[in-house]
Amino acid sequence: MLSSAFVLLGAALGVSGHYTFPKVGGGSDWQQVRRADNWQDNGFVGNVNSGQIRCFQSNSAGASASLNTTAGSSVTYYSNQGVFHPGPMQFYLARVPDGQSVNSWNGDGAVWFKVYHEQPNFGSQLTWPSTGKSSFNVPIPSCIRSGYYLLRAEHIAIHSAGSSGGAQFYVSCAQIGVTGGGSTDPPNKVSFPGAYSASDPGILININWPIPTSYKNPGPAVFKC
Ligand SMILES: *[C@@H]1O[C@H](CO)[C@@H](O)[C@H](O)[C@H]1NC(C)=O
Ligand SMILES: [Cu+2]
């Protein structure tokens, strides 16, 4: 009785975390996605300088499997429940260096390039294409090299991002093998942590007043072949 009252209170105040991104393709939860530290509590990363901002892991433990896909196709990434906070979905790829294993590589260095981010619709309030969705099609660029990659899913919840540290990052990394690729090594890659600053305009932002008329996605531009 008491504990359920606390759960309700937590939900009403929005203090509890809310979703994970545990699955890709036809797999099961945390099979091809590395088990994130929030797998039980649905929590979020609040500090952009934390090591957890990369894959929401403290240990870089590999997944038990990888999902193979073809360059130029797309991968479906799933959340465990509908995304309901306002804010952008974003996806990044990082290629596992030759000679290293996708099961143990930790994603260190300026190796991440963005393959997707969403923009809101502007009006009397911002609305986001991701709201209510629990599956997301991630485009795998046709020109990138074949090989293994980490695919990083991120939803940045900005409902209380008007003060520094208020944005909530829901993150996980899937292991994917890409076949049929080209020879392009995307430019301007970034590191995690490092890609974001707490004062980035898309991270420190009050979406309630005044209602923004533009939104700058955190991180680099989306890579296009
Ligand atoms: C999966 O992708 C990797 C990386 O491109 C490749 O080496 C491997 O042969 C692929 N596996 C299958 C079953 O196609
Ligand atoms: Cu929440």
Side-chain angles (χ1 to χ4, degrees):
M1 190 65 190
L2 195 61
S3 65
S4 64
F6 275 106
V7 169
L8 287 173
L9 184 64
L13 295 174
V15 293
S16 56
H18 284 124
Y19 22 86
T20 63
F21 292 90
K23 189 171 91 152
V24 286
S28 52
D29 286 1
W30 311 117
Q31 183 185 22
Q32 290 117 344
V33 177
R34 293 181 172 190
R35 195 162 80 185
D37 294 345
N38 67 338
W39 70 288
Q40 286 173 307
D41 68 6
N42 293 325
F44 56 85
V45 181
N47 177 357
V48 297
N49 298 313
S50 157
Q52 287 179 313
I53 198 77
R54 186 183 299 163
C55 291
F56 213 151
Q57 288 192 297
S58 315
N59 56 11
S60 300
S64 61
S66 299
L67 174 73
N68 267 29
T69 189
T70 313
S73 70
S74 64
V75 165
T76 307
Y77 215 126
Y78 296 89
S79 53
N80 65 341
Q81 54 188 302
V83 164
F84 60 88
H85 286 308
M89 282 300 305
Q90 309 202 119
F91 291 93
Y92 292 78
L93 284 171
R95 189 172 186 274
V96 179
D98 293 333
Q100 299 224 38
S101 165
V102 68
N103 295 314
S104 56
W105 184 58
N106 66 10
D108 256 346
V111 293
W112 298 90
F113 59 97
K114 193 191 270 177
V115 293
Y116 174 86
H117 64 206
E118 66 174 321
Q119 273 274 304
N121 302 304
F122 300 96
S124 60
Q125 59 175 359
L126 304 192
T127 59
W128 300 84
S130 58
T131 299
K133 288 179 61 181
S134 52
S135 71
F136 307 89
N137 287 326
V138 187
I140 307 300
S142 58
C143 61
I144 61 171
R145 289 174 294 164
S146 296
Y148 284 103
Y149 287 79
L150 294 181
L151 171 58
R152 177 179 177 276
E154 165 181 81
H155 182 253
I156 309 177
I158 56 173
H159 54 294
S160 30
S163 54
S164 185
Q168 304 178 354
F169 296 79
Y170 295 87
V171 177
S172 72
C173 291
Q175 299 181 176
I176 66 169
V178 174
T179 55
S183 57
T184 301
D185 182 12
N188 305 321
K189 293 192 283 292
V190 297
S191 59
F192 285 100
Y196 300 160
S197 148
S199 59
D200 285 350
I203 293 176
L204 179 59
I205 180 173
N206 183 337
I207 57 169
N208 300 308
W209 188 261
I211 306 293
T213 54
S214 66
Y215 180 76
K216 182 167 175 18
N217 289 82
V222 171
F223 169 71
K224 299 282 185 202
C225 289

